Amino acid sequence: MNVVVFGGTGNIGGRVAERLRAAGHSVTAVSRETGVDLTTGAGLADLLAGVDVVVDTLNAMAFDTESAVAFFGGTSETILRAEEEARVKHHIALSIVGADRLDASGYLAGKVAQEQAIRESGVPSTIVRATQFFDFLPLIAQMSTSDGVVTVGDHDLQPMAPEEVARVLADVAVGAPLGVVETAGPERASLASFVERLAQHDGSSLPLRVDASVGYFGVPTTGDAIVPVGDARISDVTLEQWWHAHADD
Ligand SMILES: NC(=O)c1ccc[n+]([C@@H]2O[C@H](COP(=O)([O-])OP(=O)(O)OC[C@H]3O[C@@H](n4cnc5c(N)ncnc54)[C@H](OP(=O)(O)O)[C@@H]3O)[C@@H](O)[C@H]2O)c1
């Protein structure tokens, strides 16, 4: 199969490209590093000629609603238009569990716009909604820290290993379009408890406060807002196993 992975040099896209290549597929990894800026779409038509499957793992540090919607909504519309012309058979995009349920603003509003662009396009698709990656936990803690205090919302998390996210995407890429697939890690617990485990692991001793009003990156959340509430592919790799496997990194 001919596959293009947008964001194929990134954390998840790189792993997806590697897995699909190892399975014998012809994979083109695309990013600005390889000379293609998806915010302009230049060169896309040539790139997608003869391509069967597209996997979109693009990401941007776009934390306000306007830039997040412009990036995720805009790049998705551009890619999907080119896919329709090239008759790509399956578009797969990586989204976030809860993106369909949150009254989203900021970054998450971008993911909602991305999902909407996919639903509105004529390209057969699978939206893979994953929970937070294990390697994203430090950034959550860092972004929740102010004046030496970590303040997190009162909701659950069910994070997963990035390798497992890539495994699900690569599996989906070689199958028929499924609409929506959700995936998560094996343990569901409060965000505060994961931040505590991370602090213990890293030897950090910053005080931790739970304040329901902070939500998740400013988005109001209830307990199960960003964990799967229906069917989901559950990985069996725990946070401790993943830390152990990456101890020498
Ligand atoms: N972090 C989490 O816990 C989490 C959970 C669920 C879902 N997700 C989703 O997972 C996806 C992938 O995340 P990640 O951590 O793998 O991201 P990442 O490591 O930051 O990779 C992003 C990729 O996008 C490329 N890119 C960015 N801007 C581009 C542009 N204008 N044109 C072309 N390529 C561009 C980057 O390469 P260049 O910089 O070279 O262009 C890179 O290859 C995101 O959509 C995110 O919403 C994240």
Side-chain angles (χ1 to χ4, degrees):
M1 223 156 47
N2 280 334
V3 185
V4 164
V5 181
F6 290 117
T9 59
N11 183 20
I12 303 299
R15 297 174 206 266
V16 173
E18 200 177 292
R19 274 188 166 267
L20 289 171
R21 277 192 194 112
H25 301 287
S26 166
V27 179
T28 308
V30 176
S31 74
R32 287 168 302 183
E33 197 184 313
T34 71
V36 181
D37 185 341
L38 271 310
T39 56
T40 71
L44 259 189
D46 288 345
L47 196 73
L48 291 181
V51 167
D52 304 297
V53 173
V54 162
V55 184
D56 177 0
T57 63
L58 290 175
N59 197 19
M61 290 290 181
F63 294 115
D64 65 279
T65 301
E66 197 182 342
S67 53
V69 169
F71 181 81
F72 287 107
T75 54
S76 295
E77 284 168 14
T78 303
I79 292 169
L80 287 157
R81 245 191 330 266
E83 285 179 33
E84 280 178 16
E85 279 170 29
R87 299 188 190 284
V88 169
K89 299 183 192 78
H90 191 181
H91 175 93
I92 296 130
L94 180 52
S95 187
I96 302 177
V97 168
D100 57 325
R101 290 180 261 128
L102 290 167
D103 183 13
S105 59
Y107 182 86
L108 287 167
K111 302 306 288 184
V112 173
Q114 178 176 18
E115 290 202 6
Q116 194 179 335
I118 294 166
R119 275 193 299 274
E120 287 172 0
S121 91
V123 182
S125 63
T126 307
I127 295 170
V128 175
R129 295 190 191 121
T131 54
Q132 287 61 42
F133 313 152
F134 289 154
D135 48 350
F136 187 58
L137 292 175
L139 190 61
I140 295 180
Q142 189 192 321
M143 290 180 73
S144 307
T145 303
S146 176
D147 295 330
V149 180
V150 187
T151 307
V152 295
D154 188 12
H155 59 87
D156 285 350
L157 215 63
Q158 197 170 332
M160 65 188 295
E163 293 83 354
E164 293 288 283
V165 179
R167 186 174 60 77
V168 172
L169 284 166
D171 284 352
V172 166
V174 298
L178 296 171
V180 175
V181 168
E182 297 204 339
T183 184
E187 300 173 279
R188 173 178 167 170
S190 67
L191 170 57
S193 73
F194 278 107
V195 171
E196 258 169 8
R197 277 161 73 179
L198 176 70
Q200 271 170 14
H201 177 261
D202 290 351
S204 157
S205 56
L206 292 182
L208 173 66
R209 217 164 54 88
V210 176
D211 176 351
S213 74
V214 304
Y216 181 65
F217 290 118
V219 178
T221 47
T222 56
D224 59 5
I226 55 169
V227 295
V229 291
D231 283 349
R233 298 189 187 190
I234 304 298
S235 149
D236 58 6
V237 179
T238 67
L239 182 57
E240 272 69 23
Q241 285 169 339
W242 188 78
W243 276 332
H244 185 71
H246 289 269
D248 296 332
D249 289 0

